[in-house]
């Protein structure tokens, strides 16, 4: 953060659970004490501008492209401490905002008017929505996620994401007021006519280098501009090196082969959101029909490209 010359307006940071529940040295008692995720989140947010929108997530594993160059090799870090932060400055023609829907214990039916308040409905410039469910173990969490995803499942919008362990930061709200065992959905919405995006789904049958690269070829065929573009990988904890017979970094390596200059970020989680969908402006590279895509999966990986327009 010391080298940042443009102040961020929106920040997405993701870290694995070990990073957020690690230990720190307590000088007064001269011994390590366990820190909680709220303490870590507050420390991170103090490094950022006060008016910055911040969304922080905790996941079982991390996918990250190390700092220095977008052409650095992306890494799937399934064990050990790891994390990253994406700092988005003000971008001409692009609006990024955070949102949060929590399950109302009193009402079984979700009030869809909240979509419009969050800019997710009646927004002709909406292009991409990254969705993250949390506390998926909670009773009713899956049903609530369906209530959020299904109304947003439109052919002209890219939806991608997955189930995380928890969210630690959402600066537009007082997160300490949220009960620890509540469930809900947080996310980022990207609006702007210059945004282009695409997703592909690597299903359970994708289990070797050849089939993983075939999925990347589908993504490459979308012809998304690769400058000013970010890649996201949302994978199941059941995949990774165990799924590929102990070969590590398989999917991240396949992505880099076809997109050597696009940085890749993401996580290993407890369920995936996405499908094969290519949207470039008003052009949809698929047959539109009345059957909506199935967006909720397990034991899969969702790969996503988001192009934020040409840079000046």
């Amino acid at each position: 953060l010391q080298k940042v010359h443009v102040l961020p307006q929106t920040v997405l940071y993701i870290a694995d659970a070990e990073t957020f529940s690690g230990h720190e040295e307590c000088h007064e008692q001269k011994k390590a004490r366990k820190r909680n995720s709220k303490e870590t989140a507050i420390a991170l947010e103090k490094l950022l501008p006060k008016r910055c929108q911040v969304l922080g997530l905790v996941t079982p594993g991390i996918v990250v492209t190390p700092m220095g160059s977008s052409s650095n090799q992306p890494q799937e870090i399934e064990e050990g401490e790891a994390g990253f932060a994406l700092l988005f400055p003000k971008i001409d023609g692009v609006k990024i905002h955070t949102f949060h829907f929590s399950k109302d214990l009193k009402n079984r039916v979700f009030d869809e008017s909240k979509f419009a308040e969050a800019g997710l409905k009646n927004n002709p410039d909406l292009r991409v929505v990254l969705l993250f469910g949390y506390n998926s173990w909670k009773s009713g969490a899956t049903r609530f996620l369906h209530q959020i995803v299904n109304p947003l499942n439109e052919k002209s919008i890219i939806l991608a994401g997955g189930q995380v362990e928890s969210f630690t930061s959402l600066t537009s709200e007082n997160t300490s007021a949220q009960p620890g065992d509540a469930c809900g959905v947080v996310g980022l919405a990207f609006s702007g006519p210059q945004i282009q995006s695409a997703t592909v789904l690597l299903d359970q049958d994708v289990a070797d280098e050849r089939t993983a690269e075939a999925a990347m070829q589908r993504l490459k065929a979308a012809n998304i501009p690769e400058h000013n573009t970010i890649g996201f990988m949302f994978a199941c904890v059941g995949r990774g090196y165990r799924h590929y017979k102990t070969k590590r970094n398989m999917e991240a390596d396949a992505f880099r082969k076809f997109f050597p200059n696009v940085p890749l970020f993401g996580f290993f989680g407890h369920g995936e959101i996405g499908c094969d969908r290519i949207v470039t402006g008003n052009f949809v590279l698929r047959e539109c029909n009345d059957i909506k895509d199935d967006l909720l999966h397990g034991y899969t990986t969702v790969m996503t490209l988001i192009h934020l327009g040409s840079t000046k």
Side-chain angles (χ1 to χ4, degrees):
L1 291 173
Q2 293 177 349
K3 296 181 181 180
V4 173
H5 298 288
V6 179
L7 290 179
Q9 288 200 334
T10 307
V11 173
L12 169 66
Y13 74 80
I14 303 179
D16 71 283
E18 288 185 44
T19 300
F20 266 79
S21 61
H23 291 77
E24 64 181 359
E25 210 173 289
C26 182
H27 296 293
E28 294 178 2
Q29 301 178 1
K30 294 186 178 180
K31 64 179 181 180
R33 72 174 183 89
K34 195 168 185 179
R35 62 174 182 261
N36 62 47
S37 60
K38 190 65 179 175
E39 290 175 322
T40 305
I42 291 173
L44 282 171
E45 289 169 18
K46 285 182 178 178
L47 301 174
L48 300 165
K50 289 185 177 180
R51 295 183 181 180
C52 183
Q53 293 186 101
V54 182
L55 174 58
L57 306 172
V58 175
T59 61
I62 295 295
V63 180
V64 62
T65 299
M67 291 187 299
S69 171
S70 60
S71 62
N72 284 346
Q73 181 176 348
Q75 300 175 11
E76 299 176 18
I77 304 175
E78 300 178 60
E79 298 164 349
E81 295 187 16
F84 65 84
L86 296 178
L87 284 66
F88 296 94
K90 182 179 180 180
I91 304 171
D92 290 341
V94 175
K95 181 179 179 181
I96 306 172
H97 67 268
T98 61
F99 60 86
H100 178 210
F101 303 123
S102 58
K103 186 174 184 294
D104 187 344
L105 299 177
K106 298 178 181 178
N107 299 312
R108 288 179 55 85
V109 179
F110 179 74
D111 181 3
E112 292 192 12
S113 66
K114 294 180 179 179
F115 286 133
E117 295 173 12
L120 301 178
K121 281 289 184 183
N122 304 320
N123 178 3
D125 288 333
L126 182 64
R127 294 292 182 267
V128 183
V129 180
L130 299 182
L131 297 155
F132 310 108
Y134 62 89
N135 286 349
S136 58
W137 54 269
K138 185 71 177 175
S139 175
T142 300
R143 181 177 180 274
F144 183 75
L145 182 59
H146 275 283
Q147 289 181 320
I148 302 301
V149 169
N150 290 347
L152 298 177
N153 189 0
E154 300 176 6
K155 304 298 183 188
S156 60
I157 300 173
I158 291 293
L159 297 176
Q163 296 271 23
V164 302
E165 292 199 355
S166 61
F167 80 94
T168 57
S169 297
L170 195 65
T171 49
S172 61
E173 299 184 9
N174 179 11
T175 54
S176 61
Q178 296 293 328
D181 60 351
C183 64
V185 175
V186 294
L188 288 176
F190 295 77
S191 301
Q194 68 197 41
I195 295 173
Q196 298 183 39
S197 185
T199 58
V200 293
L201 177 71
L202 286 68
D203 62 24
Q204 298 179 40
D205 295 335
V206 176
D208 56 43
E209 187 174 9
R210 179 184 60 82
T211 52
E213 290 186 358
M216 302 308 153
Q217 285 179 315
R218 295 201 307 275
L219 195 57
K220 188 78 172 180
N223 292 320
I224 302 294
E226 294 177 23
H227 63 282
N228 203 22
T229 295
I230 307 170
F232 286 98
M233 172 178 164
F234 305 116
C236 178
V237 291
R239 292 182 73 85
Y241 71 90
R242 299 175 187 85
H243 182 71
Y244 287 101
K245 298 180 173 60
T246 72
K247 187 168 184 179
R248 294 180 179 270
N249 230 61
M250 176 75 80
E251 293 175 347
D253 284 346
F255 179 89
R256 185 169 185 259
K257 180 176 180 179
F258 290 90
F259 303 97
N261 296 306
V262 177
L264 182 67
F265 301 94
F267 59 76
F268 290 90
H270 303 295
E272 302 76 59
I273 302 170
C275 64
D276 273 35
R277 185 176 290 179
I278 317 297
V279 179
T280 56
N282 294 323
F283 174 64
V284 181
L285 186 65
R286 66 188 314 281
E287 181 181 358
C288 290
N289 50 49
D290 294 331
I291 301 174
K292 289 193 173 184
D293 295 315
D294 184 9
L295 293 175
L296 303 184
H297 312 277
Y299 300 102
T300 65
T301 298
V302 174
M303 288 286 190
T304 305
L305 292 175
I306 302 178
H307 170 66
L308 298 173
S310 60
T311 54
K312 294 183 179 180

